[in-house]
Amino acid sequence: MSTKTVSQMARRKQVISQRPAVPAPGGTAVTSPAVALPPQRVVPPYPTLPRTNSRQRQSKSYVLPVMDTDFLLRDELRGVRFALEYEKAELVLRDAGIRSTVVCFGSARIPSPEEAKNEMHVARGKNERQLARRRLRLSAYYEQAREFGRIVSQRGGALTRDRGLRDNVIATGGGPGIMEAACRGAADVGAPAIGFNISLPMEQEPNRYTTPSLTFQFHYFAMRKMHLAMRANALAVFPGGFGTMDEMFEILTLLQTQKASPLPVVLFGRAYWRSVVNFGALFEHGMVSIEDLALFDIVDDAEKAWESLLRRGLSVPNPRVRKPREKRRPKR
């Protein structure tokens, strides 16, 4: 806009503001309303510019997704967490050369004989002594689980490598009680033992006999049970409560419905299982078939359990037998 145009506009505003009052009918003078001028625009001062990018770097949105636990623990990320729990254990076991396992289920509340005898020694009062005697009787299952872990590890292939792979490695839930006993038996002979732990309010600290590099922790029961079943060549079930029943019947259901490949199953403790589960009544009421009841044996000691597993088809790798080198005949 030229200077001349600006000056013309200024003179026009001045003329408009100086107009005289116009007489209204009846002689009363009425002042012409002043023309409202647009308000002047006030430009605010510029804000102080940040000197560094520290606020950007400290923002939660800047954290890598894999390092952002608040993000990973959102409900919408449950599928991702499932996949992570599967892949971590799968890759570690594959890298360790674990081809197959023998899985041991059983109660976390069964004490070792040493622990049971100590409880018996310090028990005071009738109730404490009764409880201590009961736990001392249960400790016999701990000894059988330990012996079973030794036998399987020595004879099943956990100590030998077939092209870098181990077979029939003892695998448990990784906690105390029967799980500890089976892992302890493997450790007695220098064999590895797998512990599939799970985060629980009680009971589930990892026992000291699992191989440290093969000790896992899960959040999801489903993923834990999947890993227990995936490599299983056989299953041994010792006395236990709800958790043991859940794990046992899930495997039996997979076998019954042929969702899993056939594998031998043994239950330890005739007196216990016959008093706790009436398998015969299930058949009598038509809930299971006679073939379903043939999916497992019930035994009372580790040697009988091993014989049952072999009879039912447990695959045991044969160690490589090196042929003696032939003596070279001297040249004539």
Side-chain angles (χ1 to χ4, degrees):
M1 186 179 293
S2 64
T3 307
K4 182 177 179 181
T5 304
V6 172
S7 61
Q8 288 176 350
M9 292 177 65
R11 283 198 299 274
R12 184 180 177 190
K13 290 178 181 179
Q14 185 178 7
V15 171
I16 291 174
S17 62
Q18 293 176 355
R19 285 180 180 176
V22 180
T28 305
V30 178
T31 305
S32 299
V35 177
L37 301 178
Q40 293 183 348
R41 184 179 179 184
V42 179
V43 179
Y46 288 108
T48 304
L49 296 176
R51 296 182 179 181
T52 68
N53 65 351
S54 60
R55 292 182 62 190
Q56 286 79 7
R57 292 174 62 84
Q58 294 170 6
S59 171
K60 287 289 291 182
S61 63
Y62 188 72
V63 178
L64 285 171
V66 72
M67 304 295 292
D68 189 348
T69 54
D70 290 338
F71 169 71
L72 290 174
L73 292 177
R74 289 177 61 116
D75 286 345
E76 298 87 342
L77 272 291
R78 183 173 287 112
V80 174
R81 295 195 297 274
F82 256 78
L84 289 173
E85 287 203 351
Y86 170 79
E87 288 293 349
K88 181 177 181 179
E90 171 67 17
L91 294 177
V92 171
L93 292 171
R94 189 185 302 172
D95 292 344
I98 307 299
R99 180 163 55 186
S100 63
T101 61
V102 172
V103 177
C104 296
F105 293 151
S107 176
R109 306 184 185 192
I110 292 179
S112 66
E114 303 93 332
E115 184 181 353
K117 289 175 183 176
N118 183 60
E119 290 177 2
M120 193 70 193
H121 179 71
V122 300
R124 296 291 182 271
K126 181 179 178 181
N127 292 337
E128 284 189 14
R129 285 194 293 270
Q130 286 180 345
L131 177 60
R133 279 193 292 269
R134 184 176 67 188
R135 285 173 60 79
L136 184 61
R137 288 194 300 270
L138 288 173
S139 69
Y141 292 117
Y142 184 105
E143 271 302 296
Q144 287 299 321
R146 183 178 178 181
E147 179 63 18
F148 181 75
R150 280 196 294 261
I151 292 173
V152 171
S153 298
Q154 283 181 319
R155 307 176 193 175
L159 289 170
T160 59
R161 286 180 177 270
D162 179 13
R163 290 166 293 180
L165 301 176
R166 295 182 190 268
D167 285 296
N168 298 321
V169 176
I170 289 293
T172 73
I178 292 298
M179 297 172 279
E180 175 187 294
C183 294
R184 187 174 178 180
D188 287 340
V189 296
I194 304 167
F196 292 114
N197 265 73
I198 190 163
S199 54
L200 291 177
M202 59 180 182
E203 296 178 351
Q204 275 303 120
E205 283 289 321
N207 71 69
R208 63 184 183 272
Y209 299 107
T210 58
T211 302
S213 60
L214 300 177
T215 303
F216 304 93
Q217 182 174 204
F218 291 85
H219 176 74
Y220 297 105
F221 267 112
M223 192 55 63
R224 177 189 185 231
K225 289 193 288 186
M226 181 176 176
H227 272 292
L228 281 163
M230 278 177 58
R231 288 175 168 80
N233 260 0
L235 171 64
V237 189
F238 291 80
F242 292 160
T244 301
M245 299 287 182
D246 170 52
E247 294 162 340
M248 178 186 73
F249 280 115
E250 180 160 350
I251 297 294
L252 291 178
T253 302
L254 292 173
L255 295 174
Q256 179 195 47
T257 57
Q258 299 181 9
K259 287 291 186 179
S261 301
L263 76 158
V265 179
V266 291
L267 279 56
F268 272 81
R270 294 178 189 275
Y272 178 81
W273 289 109
R274 287 176 176 172
S275 66
V276 172
V277 183
N278 193 335
F279 292 107
L282 289 174
F283 172 70
E284 290 171 5
H285 287 283
M287 299 297 109
V288 296
S289 68
I290 196 67
E291 290 80 15
D292 297 332
L293 296 182
L295 291 172
F296 56 88
D297 279 341
I298 303 179
V299 299
D300 282 317
D301 63 75
E303 281 291 349
K304 292 293 184 182
W306 179 250
E307 292 173 9
S308 171
L309 297 182
L310 293 178
R311 187 174 62 254
R312 287 173 167 269
L314 175 65
S315 175
V316 177
N318 294 320
R320 291 183 178 180
V321 179
R322 294 184 178 181
K323 294 182 179 180
R325 298 177 66 178
E326 294 182 2
K327 294 182 180 180
R328 292 184 180 180
R329 295 181 180 178
K331 293 182 179 180
R332 294 181 180 177

